[in-house]
Amino acid sequence: MSGGATPTLSVDASNKSLTPPTAAVQRDPSDIEGRIRDKIERNPVDILAYLELVQYYESRDAFEDSRKIYTELHNKFPFYSPLWTLQLKGELQRDEFKVVERLLAECLSGEKANNDLQLWSTYLDYVRRTNNLITGGQEARAVVMKAFQLVMEKCAVFEPRSSSFWSEYLGFLEQWKPVNKWEDQQRIDMIRRLYKRMLCVPFESIEKNWNRYTQWEQEVNSLTARKFIGELSPDYMKARSLYQEWSQLTRGLRRSPPSSLSTANKNTIPSIDEELDPNQLRIWLRWIEWEKENKLGLENEMLQSRILYVYKQGIQHMLFAAEMWYDYAMFISDATERCQILSTAVRANPTSPSLTFKLAECYELDNKYDLVQKCFEDCTQSLLREYHLMLASENEFRIYKQKKKMTFVNCIYMNTMKRLSGLSAARSVFGKCRKLKNNLTHDIYIENAYLEFQNQNDYKTACKVLELGLKYFQEDAAYINKYMDFLIVINKDSQIKTLFETSVEKLKDLEGLRSIYKKMISYESKFGTLNNVYSLEKRFFERFPHENLIEVFADRYRVQDENLIKQLELTYMNDDKYSETDDMLSSSLKRSRGSQANGQSHKKMKRGPAVPNEIIDLLAIIPKRQYFKAALLDPQNLVTYLNEQVELPPPSHV
């Protein structure tokens, strides 16, 4: 940090997060509201619990209470458009137009500006309801047309699944009944402009709309039809090709937000409790990279808008994926806006280390040191709250992982405070961590010891810290190993031997004990005497009589942590990582084999996938399409129903 004196930051020693959350109150089964609020208190980012409370209030006509819950949700998840859409639809059903107008202004502009087709479609519904064409005439029609134009430019031209919008816009223009030839020509020009705009956009049903357009041109004027169709054909062919490419790229992408409160469930609303699907995240990131290639040949401003649209869609569906938020924030060049995005990301993901660290960096660059401290305090408190709740589950793996996460964040917190405000601030953080005792892993003691040593070359304080940690981790082989490594670095021979002798009698973990013996044998081999080595080896083989003699011998002749005897002579025993030469040879072989395999698989792919017999049987018995004059089943509604209402059972393990 350059210039000026080092700022002094006070680290409050009384950390509220050190107090475990109070046990859940035993509520009466009829106290539905209380039980839902308990659920929210346990998990403050559980969107479904909030919506459950909204449904409870609305079922009792307590609409002011439901609005307060929505406000909480919007403050916590301002860019999650389905929440705005659900509230707006409910308010429109109750004809609360003033509330709708206020909400639309809040969610479509300013800091909370969303960009989502369902949300914009709700805006269109509001405009059409408040501008009656029968009573409003030309003025009302002009307002509605401006609204359609706005939605098209803001959102629809970027959305591959926008066929419903284009159909609605076309339907609106086609329903216009002109009163004279001038109006009729105006309507034709508007429809033609809309087709030209629409058929340059890669979206579903583009082929169907192209056929509709060519037929329309023939009906308007068969003499000019060929000219207009020929002018638009190259752009249409490009858009159709790009949509097909996009479809292949995003195959398997799940985008099914709830259409109403009743369809809000874990299939349609993201949940932090559900494990992140890495395949879905990869598809979103692939889509974004595809957009950045600018295959549509857009100007820079339009390209940026298109990429931003996909990012905003991505953070909705990957709401609890830190990488999606991080990528979105890093795409933004403006530092203030980036900081706002990261702040929103942390509100949705309060226990995310990566987002917390990045937000803290942004505040640090702006010299907002109090906000840096608040970032870490909020994250550690959220992690500790989760940890206390996990203790009841008795899932040892999850509990240990949470301890590791808490320790990691506190280590970075401590180092950051040292960088910003000096050693005293770092010691204050460590002091709070000490109160947690063995609720953190041993890494906090190791990290603090190195911090003390690096700061003032003060090995005495560092050793005191490590001795303090020994009270809680004297049976932790990993801690003993790291303690020994530190003592070896500072060359404290007597302390190394003392630590070794006191530890080998207490350790019950045989694998850990084996590693400590080998470390001590290696140390004596390099810095001690051969007699000491033989004495240690004798004790080692008494404890582990089945160990391979030459392996133990080779292990103490490691150079820079490489067992070169195994690599160069006893190659048949080598289970260490490859040398650089081996690695280069291996990579070369893999590349050549991979290219051959790709060539063969490419040939196989040309044959096309085999169609299952069940599909062939079904196609053989269903009637041909020419027997049906109109569609009997709307496929889009069927897909929506399956996504929102049908929950597939988990696959059975054979």
Side-chain angles (χ1 to χ4, degrees):
M1 194 169 61
S2 61
T6 305
T8 303
L9 293 180
S10 61
V11 181
D12 185 10
S14 60
N15 189 351
K16 294 178 183 177
S17 67
L18 297 179
T19 307
T22 54
V25 180
Q26 294 296 322
R27 296 189 182 274
D28 189 272
S30 61
D31 185 8
I32 299 173
E33 180 185 359
R35 287 193 286 115
I36 298 173
R37 286 197 174 276
D38 288 344
K39 197 188 298 185
I40 292 171
E41 188 177 350
R42 288 194 297 272
N43 186 359
V45 290
D46 185 352
I47 300 175
L48 282 174
Y50 283 98
L51 293 179
E52 193 179 344
L53 193 55
V54 168
Q55 282 184 297
Y56 171 79
Y57 286 138
E58 291 190 354
S59 67
R60 283 157 176 73
D61 294 339
F63 299 116
E64 282 301 322
D65 290 331
S66 71
R67 287 181 188 125
K68 289 177 184 176
I69 300 301
Y70 270 123
T71 301
E72 284 185 50
L73 280 169
H74 298 326
N75 289 333
K76 203 176 287 285
F77 308 102
F79 297 141
Y80 187 52
S81 303
L83 294 174
W84 295 99
T85 305
L86 289 175
Q87 185 179 9
L88 285 164
K89 284 182 176 179
E91 300 292 358
L92 280 172
Q93 286 176 355
R94 296 187 291 272
D95 294 338
E96 296 284 356
F97 294 119
K98 287 186 178 180
V99 176
V100 170
E101 193 170 334
R102 176 180 58 79
L103 288 171
L104 285 170
E106 188 179 359
C107 69
L108 294 177
S109 60
E111 290 184 1
K112 296 180 181 178
N114 285 252
N115 200 359
D116 178 75
L117 190 55
Q118 274 201 354
L119 182 57
W120 279 107
S121 296
T122 310
Y123 160 76
L124 270 178
D125 292 343
Y126 163 74
V127 172
R128 296 185 74 170
R129 284 189 61 181
T130 53
N131 291 273
N132 192 303
L133 299 183
I134 297 173
T135 58
Q138 292 294 334
E139 188 177 340
R141 178 174 285 106
V143 172
V144 174
M145 286 176 65
K146 279 184 180 178
F148 270 113
Q149 193 70 17
L150 178 65
V151 176
M152 180 180 74
E153 296 298 338
K154 286 279 188 180
C155 179
V157 292
F158 307 136
E159 176 54 63
R161 296 177 181 174
S162 55
S163 58
S164 59
F165 166 79
W166 298 112
S167 296
E168 187 180 356
Y169 196 175
L170 276 171
F172 175 76
L173 292 176
E174 288 170 350
Q175 288 167 11
W176 180 9
K177 303 297 181 185
V179 295
N180 53 50
K181 284 189 176 182
W182 181 84
E183 278 194 1
D184 188 43
Q185 187 58 47
Q186 186 185 27
R187 183 179 71 94
I188 289 171
D189 291 342
M190 285 181 174
I191 293 174
R192 184 173 286 122
R193 280 199 299 271
L194 177 58
Y195 271 122
K196 284 184 177 180
R197 191 75 178 93
M198 173 178 64
L199 294 171
C200 295
V201 174
F203 76 103
E204 59 186 351
S205 305
I206 189 171
E207 293 183 48
K208 178 182 174 182
N209 280 282
W210 172 257
N211 295 332
R212 183 177 175 181
Y213 166 66
T214 55
Q215 184 180 350
W216 176 80
E217 285 286 10
Q218 291 289 345
E219 290 171 356
V220 170
N221 189 333
S222 59
L223 297 176
T224 59
R226 179 175 292 183
K227 170 182 174 293
F228 287 120
I229 292 170
E231 288 174 354
L232 189 54
S233 181
D235 290 331
Y236 157 70
M237 295 295 287
K238 181 179 180 180
R240 186 184 68 169
S241 173
L242 288 175
Y243 176 72
Q244 291 169 349
E245 186 179 331
W246 176 86
S247 298
Q248 291 294 324
L249 185 79
T250 60
R251 178 172 291 178
L253 184 66
R254 293 197 295 269
R255 297 172 71 195
S256 54
S259 55
S260 63
L261 263 178
S262 60
T263 60
N265 53 49
K266 64 181 182 180
N267 294 327
T268 57
I269 297 285
S271 171
I272 201 168
D273 293 329
E274 296 291 322
E275 192 171 344
L276 176 70
D277 186 345
N279 290 327
Q280 290 296 306
L281 178 59
R282 278 194 288 269
I283 294 172
W284 278 106
L285 295 175
R286 280 205 307 267
W287 181 3
I288 291 165
E289 288 304 313
W290 184 80
E291 292 290 355
K292 288 178 180 178
E293 292 174 13
N294 193 16
K295 296 192 175 185
L296 279 167
L298 303 173
E299 293 183 2
N300 187 58
E301 186 178 350
M302 181 62 77
L303 175 63
Q304 295 298 306
S305 298
R306 188 175 177 89
I307 295 170
L308 281 173
Y309 173 78
V310 183
Y311 267 122
K312 287 200 171 186
Q313 288 295 301
I315 60 173
Q316 284 186 54
H317 297 278
M318 294 282 105
L319 188 61
F320 301 111
E323 184 178 356
M324 179 59 74
W325 281 101
Y326 184 88
D327 272 23
Y328 175 35
M330 296 308 292
F331 178 74
I332 303 298
S333 55
D334 182 72
T336 303
E337 189 180 350
R338 178 185 293 176
C339 196
Q340 289 173 349
I341 290 168
L342 286 167
S343 178
T344 304
V346 168
R347 286 203 299 275
N349 299 270
T351 60
S352 167
S354 55
L355 295 175
T356 298
F357 300 163
K358 190 61 188 176
L359 180 59
E361 285 182 8
C362 289
Y363 287 142
E364 185 176 342
L365 290 174
D366 286 343
N367 297 323
K368 297 176 180 176
Y369 301 122
D370 289 337
L371 291 178
V372 173
Q373 185 178 337
K374 186 177 184 303
C375 277
F376 284 103
E377 285 292 330
D378 290 346
C379 186
T380 52
Q381 288 183 23
S382 298
L383 285 167
L384 197 56
R385 186 193 305 112
E386 275 189 1
Y387 173 71
H388 288 308
L389 292 171
M390 283 180 187
L391 290 176
S393 70
E394 298 182 356
N395 185 325
E396 290 186 10
F397 175 75
R398 286 187 66 205
I399 291 171
Y400 177 75
K401 187 178 177 182
Q402 189 72 2
K403 286 170 69 172
K404 194 83 175 170
K405 199 173 180 181
M406 287 194 300
T407 307
F408 171 51
V409 172
N410 275 295
C411 285
I412 303 302
Y413 184 15
M414 183 170 62
N415 289 331
T416 302
M417 296 308 293
K418 161 64 181 67
R419 184 174 68 248
L420 293 183
S421 195
L423 192 58
S424 60
R427 284 173 174 170
S428 296
V429 175
F430 179 64
K432 290 195 298 180
C433 293
R434 281 182 56 193
K435 293 179 182 179
L436 290 170
K437 299 181 180 178
N438 56 355
N439 286 325
L440 298 180
T441 66
H442 64 257
D443 300 281
I444 192 70
Y445 289 90
I446 301 294
E447 192 71 16
N448 184 258
Y450 276 100
L451 188 147
E452 292 281 354
F453 179 68
Q454 293 291 341
N455 185 62
Q456 297 176 331
N457 201 21
D458 178 12
Y459 71 86
K460 291 182 179 178
T461 304
C463 287
K464 286 179 182 177
V465 169
L466 292 170
E467 279 298 313
L468 189 65
L470 203 59
K471 292 181 180 179
Y472 306 109
F473 304 105
Q474 56 186 330
E475 295 183 4
D476 187 340
Y479 181 73
I480 306 300
N481 256 308
K482 292 175 183 178
Y483 192 172
M484 287 179 69
D485 286 337
F486 178 78
L487 293 174
I488 290 169
V489 167
I490 62 174
N491 194 26
K492 294 296 172 183
D493 183 73
S494 60
Q495 288 177 254
I496 294 169
K497 291 175 180 176
T498 302
L499 177 63
F500 171 75
E501 294 298 342
T502 55
S503 300
V504 291
E505 300 302 323
K506 295 176 182 177
L507 284 175
K508 298 175 183 177
D509 174 16
L510 292 180
E511 195 60 41
L513 183 61
R514 181 187 287 108
S515 68
I516 288 171
Y517 261 110
K518 286 188 174 182
K519 185 182 292 290
M520 196 63 193
I521 291 169
S522 177
Y523 171 76
E524 286 289 357
S525 177
K526 287 182 179 179
F527 309 111
T529 65
L530 202 56
N531 288 332
N532 288 347
V533 173
Y534 288 163
S535 174
L536 282 170
E537 282 189 342
K538 182 181 177 183
R539 291 170 62 185
F540 176 76
F541 284 115
E542 286 173 357
R543 201 71 180 265
F544 303 100
H546 301 296
E547 286 290 310
N548 188 307
L549 291 171
I550 198 166
E551 275 201 60
V552 176
F553 173 77
D555 205 51
R556 63 178 162 94
Y557 281 100
R558 283 178 174 268
V559 174
Q560 297 175 19
D561 206 32
E562 280 192 279
N563 193 326
L564 294 176
I565 290 181
K566 280 188 178 182
Q567 285 186 20
L568 303 175
E569 184 179 5
L570 309 178
T571 53
Y572 54 89
M573 298 175 66
N574 186 23
D575 55 358
D576 286 358
K577 60 185 178 182
Y578 291 118
S579 65
E580 285 187 20
T581 308
D582 292 336
D583 204 29
M584 288 170 64
L585 286 170
S586 174
S587 299
S588 177
L589 281 169
K590 284 178 181 176
R591 281 197 300 272
S592 62
R593 289 174 182 170
S595 60
Q596 292 174 7
N598 286 338
Q600 291 173 0
S601 64
H602 184 65
K603 290 177 184 176
K604 290 179 182 177
M605 284 176 66
K606 287 183 178 179
R607 299 176 189 170
V611 179
N613 291 330
E614 291 82 355
I615 301 295
I616 295 173
D617 294 340
L618 176 63
L619 292 172
I621 60 174
I622 61 175
K624 296 179 180 179
R625 65 177 183 175
Q626 51 261 42
Y627 293 119
F628 301 97
K629 301 299 181 186
L632 299 179
L633 180 68
D634 185 341
Q636 186 59 48
N637 287 340
L638 175 62
V639 170
T640 302
Y641 173 78
L642 292 173
N643 281 332
E644 292 181 349
Q645 300 296 335
V646 178
E647 184 175 345
L648 295 175
S652 57
H653 298 285
V654 181

